[in-house]
């Protein structure tokens, strides 16, 4: 009888421990949902007044302003542009971090979107006297994916390479066919990232302690967005970098998703 009592007591303790663990998981999930909801609502609510400010600033810019007013106008435009970028990044991160937000899976040609991204960034790269080199595989490279998200993924990597490479440097963007995946490689010979920083790089709001990189404006959301989009596409992302020498980000996007199991029309099976 004592043995049975002992066993029952042990079983009861295990059951209680399990129940409190489940309660903790539920609480953490609720907190996570609350956090995502808060970010999404805040960014959404900020968007409308921001659009009003930006629209009015644009209209003011068409008027014949005095030199002092023009200076204030330029400063306000810079501020509103920067705020728009932060709000857009927050909204994007809230969107892609929400597992209930569906992935709009269609056939996407990775070469096409890479080309568009590079064309868009070329003006700012040229202004910084950077060389942008593009190496695209000569065949179509189609993956199942969300075009807006994949555009943002490549855009964030390329704009970081431009941002963190001093004048005169080179940014190289490669798209190639790997085994069962399309490989996107964005390299630069810029500031590089210390080993210590590489460990935290993909976390939200991560910013380095390197003063040279910190001189650039940023939110620390770009690479968190990259990592989340890669995860949603069942892909991989890796970084190779040396402080002062340069950085290479390598992304692998599977030619077909393994988990979803539904073939996408127009996407060849791996
Ligand atoms: P942000 O650029 O807004 O700070 P990111 O999440 O895009 O945020 O990047 C996080 C940090 O990683 C940056 O602050 C920078 O220190 C570092 N980083 C990202 N890309 C590069 C790169 N190509 N070269 C050097 N440092 C980089």
């Amino acid at each position: 009888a004592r043995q049975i009592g002992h066993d029952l007591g042990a079983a009861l303790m295990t059951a209680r421990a399990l129940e409190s663990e489940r309660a903790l998981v539920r609480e953490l999930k609720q907190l996570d949902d609350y956090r995502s909801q808060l970010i999404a609502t805040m960014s959404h609510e900020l968007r409308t007044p921001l659009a009003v400010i930006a629209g009015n600033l644009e209209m003011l810019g068409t008027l014949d302003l005095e030199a002092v007013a023009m200076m204030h106008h330029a400063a306000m435009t810079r501020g509103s542009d920067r705020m728009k970028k932060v709000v857009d990044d927050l909204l994007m991160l809230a969107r892609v971090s929400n597992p209930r937000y569906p992935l709009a899976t269609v056939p996407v040609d990775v070469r096409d979107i890479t080309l568009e991204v590079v064309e868009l960034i070329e003006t700012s790269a040229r202004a910084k006297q950077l060389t942008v080199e593009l190496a695209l595989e000569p065949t179509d490279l189609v993956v199942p994916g969300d075009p807006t998200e994949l555009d943002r993924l490549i855009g964030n990597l390329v704009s970081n390479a431009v941002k963190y490479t001093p004048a005169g440097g080179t940014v190289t963007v490669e798209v190639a066919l790997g085994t069962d995946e399309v490989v996107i490689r964005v390299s630069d010979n810029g500031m590089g990232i210390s080993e210590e920083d590489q460990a935290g790089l993909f976390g939200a709001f991560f910013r380095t302690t390197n003063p040279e990189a910190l001189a650039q404006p940023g939110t620390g959301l770009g690479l968190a967005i990259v990592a989340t989009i890669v995860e949603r596409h069942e892909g991989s992302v890796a970084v190779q970098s040396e402080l002062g020498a340069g950085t290479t980000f390598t992304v692998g996007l599977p030619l077909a998703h393994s988990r979803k199991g539904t073939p996408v029309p127009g996407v060849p099976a791996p």
Side-chain angles (χ1 to χ4, degrees):
R2 199 182 302 149
Q3 182 58 37
I4 292 174
H6 183 265
D7 288 351
L8 269 176
L12 206 64
M13 269 170 66
T14 314
R16 276 200 198 118
L18 264 176
E19 185 43 46
S20 66
E21 203 171 293
R22 275 198 209 110
L24 190 67
V25 170
R26 265 199 308 274
E27 211 170 299
L28 280 176
K29 211 189 147 309
Q30 269 170 4
L31 268 177
D32 202 45
D33 282 353
Y34 174 71
R35 186 193 61 126
S36 306
Q37 191 56 46
L38 182 73
I39 293 178
T41 311
M42 285 291 297
S43 348
H44 213 269
E45 289 308 309
L46 284 172
R47 255 190 165 182
T48 315
L50 200 54
V52 175
I53 295 171
N56 280 279
L57 278 173
E58 209 178 315
M59 206 193 68
L60 270 180
T62 62
L63 303 180
D64 195 10
L65 298 178
E66 280 178 30
V68 181
M70 251 163 74
M71 206 179 69
H72 290 303
H73 176 265
M76 285 192 287
T77 305
R78 275 197 304 276
S80 106
D81 284 351
R82 200 163 153 188
M83 206 194 277
K84 183 173 179 309
K85 180 155 182 354
V86 176
V87 170
D88 280 352
D89 277 356
L90 277 172
L91 252 182
M92 189 67 174
L93 187 61
R95 185 184 132 179
V96 294
S97 306
N98 184 349
R100 286 184 289 276
Y101 195 90
L103 192 68
T105 312
V106 293
V108 182
D109 190 334
V110 182
R111 289 189 322 158
D112 287 351
I113 48 172
T114 305
L115 208 59
E116 280 166 27
V117 164
V118 169
E119 269 168 15
L120 268 178
I121 209 112
E122 245 162 7
T123 320
S124 51
R126 215 173 299 129
K128 249 186 112 174
Q129 284 144 13
L130 294 179
T131 308
V132 181
E133 284 174 357
L134 194 57
L136 300 177
E137 184 107 356
T139 51
D140 288 352
L141 293 176
V142 180
V143 298
D146 183 316
T148 314
E149 291 186 18
L150 293 181
D151 185 86
R152 181 63 84 94
L153 157 65
I154 300 170
N156 282 3
L157 291 178
V158 176
S159 64
N160 271 351
V162 168
K163 189 157 89 172
Y164 297 108
T165 302
T170 303
V171 171
T172 308
V173 185
E174 280 172 82
V175 182
L177 185 63
T179 324
D180 296 347
E181 61 177 9
V182 171
V183 179
I184 305 154
R185 210 170 281 118
V186 181
S187 324
D188 63 65
N189 58 1
M191 299 172 196
I193 306 164
S194 70
E195 258 182 56
E196 194 191 338
D197 279 350
Q198 284 176 39
L201 214 55
F202 295 99
F205 303 107
F206 175 86
R207 293 224 75 201
T208 172
T209 45
N210 175 5
E212 198 188 357
L214 274 182
Q216 300 296 323
T219 55
L221 292 173
L223 288 178
I225 293 173
V226 164
T228 315
I229 293 176
V230 163
E231 199 187 320
R232 275 160 72 80
H233 287 78
E234 299 178 26
S236 60
V237 57
V239 61
Q240 257 182 310
S241 187
E242 199 183 317
L243 206 56
T247 304
T248 299
F249 281 94
T250 308
V251 171
L253 293 174
L255 285 165
H257 288 170
S258 55
R259 252 195 289 131
K260 307 274 184 304
T262 27
V264 176
V267 176

